[in-house]
Short mmCIF file of all heavy atoms in Angstrom, two decimals:
data_model
loop_
_atom_site.label_atom_id
_atom_site.label_comp_id
_atom_site.label_asym_id
_atom_site.label_seq_id
_atom_site.Cartn_x
_atom_site.Cartn_y
_atom_site.Cartn_z
N CYS A 243 4.95 -11.73 1.45
CA CYS A 243 4.50 -12.29 2.66
C CYS A 243 5.75 -12.81 3.47
O CYS A 243 6.82 -12.94 2.96
CB CYS A 243 3.59 -13.52 2.40
SG CYS A 243 4.33 -14.98 1.74
N PRO A 249 -2.03 -17.49 7.53
CA PRO A 249 -2.34 -18.21 6.31
C PRO A 249 -3.73 -18.12 5.86
O PRO A 249 -4.05 -18.18 4.66
CB PRO A 249 -1.95 -19.67 6.63
CG PRO A 249 -1.93 -19.75 8.11
CD PRO A 249 -1.54 -18.37 8.63
N LEU A 252 -3.96 -14.80 4.26
CA LEU A 252 -3.21 -14.84 3.03
C LEU A 252 -4.13 -15.44 1.88
O LEU A 252 -4.18 -14.90 0.82
CB LEU A 252 -1.98 -15.66 3.23
CG LEU A 252 -1.15 -15.94 1.93
CD1 LEU A 252 -0.63 -14.67 1.29
CD2 LEU A 252 0.04 -16.88 2.26
N SER A 258 -9.40 -12.91 -3.27
CA SER A 258 -10.03 -11.65 -3.63
C SER A 258 -9.28 -11.02 -4.80
O SER A 258 -9.86 -10.13 -5.52
CB SER A 258 -10.07 -10.71 -2.41
OG SER A 258 -8.84 -10.18 -2.12
N TYR A 271 2.85 -12.40 -8.71
CA TYR A 271 4.17 -12.60 -8.08
C TYR A 271 4.08 -12.52 -6.60
O TYR A 271 3.48 -11.51 -6.05
CB TYR A 271 5.21 -11.52 -8.56
CG TYR A 271 5.55 -11.57 -10.01
CD1 TYR A 271 4.86 -10.80 -10.91
CD2 TYR A 271 6.56 -12.39 -10.49
CE1 TYR A 271 5.18 -10.85 -12.30
CE2 TYR A 271 6.86 -12.47 -11.83
CZ TYR A 271 6.19 -11.68 -12.72
OH TYR A 271 6.51 -11.70 -14.08
N VAL A 274 8.36 -14.24 -1.00
CA VAL A 274 8.35 -14.81 0.30
C VAL A 274 9.61 -14.31 1.04
O VAL A 274 10.72 -14.73 0.69
CB VAL A 274 8.31 -16.31 0.28
CG1 VAL A 274 8.15 -16.90 1.70
CG2 VAL A 274 7.14 -16.83 -0.56
N GLU A 283 3.37 -22.20 3.57
CA GLU A 283 3.89 -22.89 2.36
C GLU A 283 2.75 -23.68 1.69
O GLU A 283 2.72 -23.78 0.49
CB GLU A 283 5.00 -23.84 2.77
CG GLU A 283 6.35 -23.20 2.82
CD GLU A 283 6.87 -22.72 1.49
OE1 GLU A 283 6.27 -23.11 0.40
OE2 GLU A 283 7.84 -22.03 1.42
N LEU A 286 0.78 -21.26 -0.45
CA LEU A 286 1.58 -20.85 -1.67
C LEU A 286 1.67 -22.02 -2.64
O LEU A 286 1.49 -21.80 -3.87
CB LEU A 286 3.00 -20.42 -1.20
CG LEU A 286 3.05 -19.27 -0.27
CD1 LEU A 286 4.51 -19.00 0.14
CD2 LEU A 286 2.47 -17.98 -0.92
N LYS A 292 -2.14 -25.03 -8.74
CA LYS A 292 -3.42 -24.81 -9.40
C LYS A 292 -3.34 -23.94 -10.65
O LYS A 292 -4.07 -24.13 -11.63
CB LYS A 292 -4.44 -24.23 -8.41
CG LYS A 292 -5.85 -24.15 -8.97
CD LYS A 292 -6.89 -23.72 -7.88
CE LYS A 292 -8.28 -23.73 -8.44
NZ LYS A 292 -9.27 -23.32 -7.38
N ILE A 296 1.10 -18.75 -13.73
CA ILE A 296 0.45 -17.54 -13.32
C ILE A 296 0.98 -17.10 -11.97
O ILE A 296 1.44 -15.97 -11.79
CB ILE A 296 -1.10 -17.71 -13.29
CG1 ILE A 296 -1.63 -18.07 -14.66
CG2 ILE A 296 -1.76 -16.42 -12.77
CD1 ILE A 296 -1.48 -16.93 -15.69
N VAL A 299 6.07 -17.81 -7.28
CA VAL A 299 6.51 -17.65 -5.86
C VAL A 299 7.98 -17.59 -5.84
O VAL A 299 8.65 -18.54 -6.25
CB VAL A 299 5.91 -18.73 -5.01
CG1 VAL A 299 6.38 -18.55 -3.56
CG2 VAL A 299 4.42 -18.81 -5.08
N ILE A 324 1.99 -3.02 -12.63
CA ILE A 324 2.06 -3.94 -11.48
C ILE A 324 1.11 -3.40 -10.40
O ILE A 324 1.21 -2.24 -9.91
CB ILE A 324 3.49 -3.94 -10.86
CG1 ILE A 324 4.48 -4.39 -11.98
CG2 ILE A 324 3.54 -4.89 -9.67
CD1 ILE A 324 5.95 -4.31 -11.54
N PHE A 338 -9.30 -4.43 -10.09
CA PHE A 338 -8.29 -4.45 -11.23
C PHE A 338 -8.89 -3.91 -12.47
O PHE A 338 -8.20 -3.21 -13.27
CB PHE A 338 -7.82 -5.85 -11.46
CG PHE A 338 -7.03 -6.50 -10.29
CD1 PHE A 338 -6.71 -7.83 -10.26
CD2 PHE A 338 -6.67 -5.72 -9.20
CE1 PHE A 338 -5.99 -8.40 -9.25
CE2 PHE A 338 -5.98 -6.28 -8.09
CZ PHE A 338 -5.62 -7.62 -8.17
N THR A 373 -9.68 8.64 2.55
CA THR A 373 -9.88 9.36 1.25
C THR A 373 -8.59 10.10 0.84
O THR A 373 -7.78 10.43 1.72
CB THR A 373 -11.00 10.36 1.38
OG1 THR A 373 -10.74 11.31 2.38
CG2 THR A 373 -12.34 9.65 1.73
N ARG A 388 2.00 14.13 4.28
CA ARG A 388 1.92 12.67 4.55
C ARG A 388 1.80 11.96 3.21
O ARG A 388 1.67 12.59 2.16
CB ARG A 388 0.74 12.31 5.43
CG ARG A 388 -0.65 12.84 4.97
CD ARG A 388 -1.72 12.53 6.02
NE ARG A 388 -2.98 12.97 5.62
CZ ARG A 388 -3.54 14.19 5.92
NH1 ARG A 388 -2.73 15.05 6.59
NH2 ARG A 388 -4.68 14.56 5.54
N LEU A 398 1.28 0.36 -10.31
CA LEU A 398 2.55 1.02 -10.58
C LEU A 398 2.96 0.91 -12.04
O LEU A 398 2.71 -0.16 -12.63
CB LEU A 398 3.69 0.42 -9.75
CG LEU A 398 3.44 0.17 -8.27
CD1 LEU A 398 4.47 -0.84 -7.76
CD2 LEU A 398 3.57 1.42 -7.47
N ARG A 400 5.97 0.19 -14.07
CA ARG A 400 7.28 -0.36 -13.74
C ARG A 400 8.40 0.47 -14.22
O ARG A 400 9.41 0.67 -13.41
CB ARG A 400 7.37 -1.80 -14.39
CG ARG A 400 8.72 -2.53 -14.04
CD ARG A 400 8.69 -3.88 -14.65
NE ARG A 400 9.86 -4.63 -14.38
CZ ARG A 400 11.01 -4.63 -15.17
NH1 ARG A 400 11.01 -3.92 -16.26
NH2 ARG A 400 12.03 -5.33 -14.80
N ASP A 458 11.47 7.01 15.88
CA ASP A 458 12.89 7.11 15.24
C ASP A 458 12.77 7.07 13.72
O ASP A 458 13.46 7.89 13.07
CB ASP A 458 13.70 5.96 15.80
CG ASP A 458 14.09 6.09 17.23
OD1 ASP A 458 13.92 7.19 17.78
OD2 ASP A 458 14.51 5.13 17.83
N MET A 479 9.41 21.12 10.80
CA MET A 479 9.00 21.31 12.23
C MET A 479 7.53 20.89 12.37
O MET A 479 7.20 20.17 13.33
CB MET A 479 9.11 22.78 12.59
CG MET A 479 10.54 23.24 12.54
SD MET A 479 11.63 22.75 13.88
CE MET A 479 10.99 23.83 15.21
N TYR A 483 7.17 17.50 14.75
CA TYR A 483 6.56 17.71 16.05
C TYR A 483 5.10 17.25 16.12
O TYR A 483 4.66 16.78 17.14
CB TYR A 483 6.69 19.21 16.50
CG TYR A 483 8.12 19.61 16.75
CD1 TYR A 483 8.59 20.83 16.26
CD2 TYR A 483 9.01 18.76 17.44
CE1 TYR A 483 9.92 21.21 16.50
CE2 TYR A 483 10.34 19.14 17.68
CZ TYR A 483 10.76 20.36 17.19
OH TYR A 483 12.11 20.70 17.45
N PRO A 492 -1.67 9.09 24.86
CA PRO A 492 -2.24 7.85 25.09
C PRO A 492 -2.84 7.30 23.78
O PRO A 492 -3.39 8.01 23.00
CB PRO A 492 -3.29 8.08 26.18
CG PRO A 492 -2.78 9.28 26.90
CD PRO A 492 -2.12 10.09 25.91
N ARG A 505 -9.35 10.27 8.91
CA ARG A 505 -10.20 9.32 8.16
C ARG A 505 -11.59 9.91 8.01
O ARG A 505 -11.96 10.93 8.70
CB ARG A 505 -10.22 7.95 8.75
CG ARG A 505 -8.86 7.29 8.91
CD ARG A 505 -8.31 6.93 7.57
NE ARG A 505 -7.07 6.07 7.74
CZ ARG A 505 -5.84 6.60 7.68
NH1 ARG A 505 -5.65 7.86 7.56
NH2 ARG A 505 -4.83 5.78 7.73
#
Side-chain angles (χ1 to χ4, degrees):
C243 71
L252 174 61
S258 76
Y271 295 95
V274 186
E283 276 292 351
L286 299 175
K292 186 174 182 179
I296 300 294
V299 180
I324 302 173
F338 296 171
T373 60
R388 56 184 179 270
L398 315 161
R400 181 178 181 270
D458 289 345
M479 299 283 283
Y483 292 138
R505 300 291 188 266

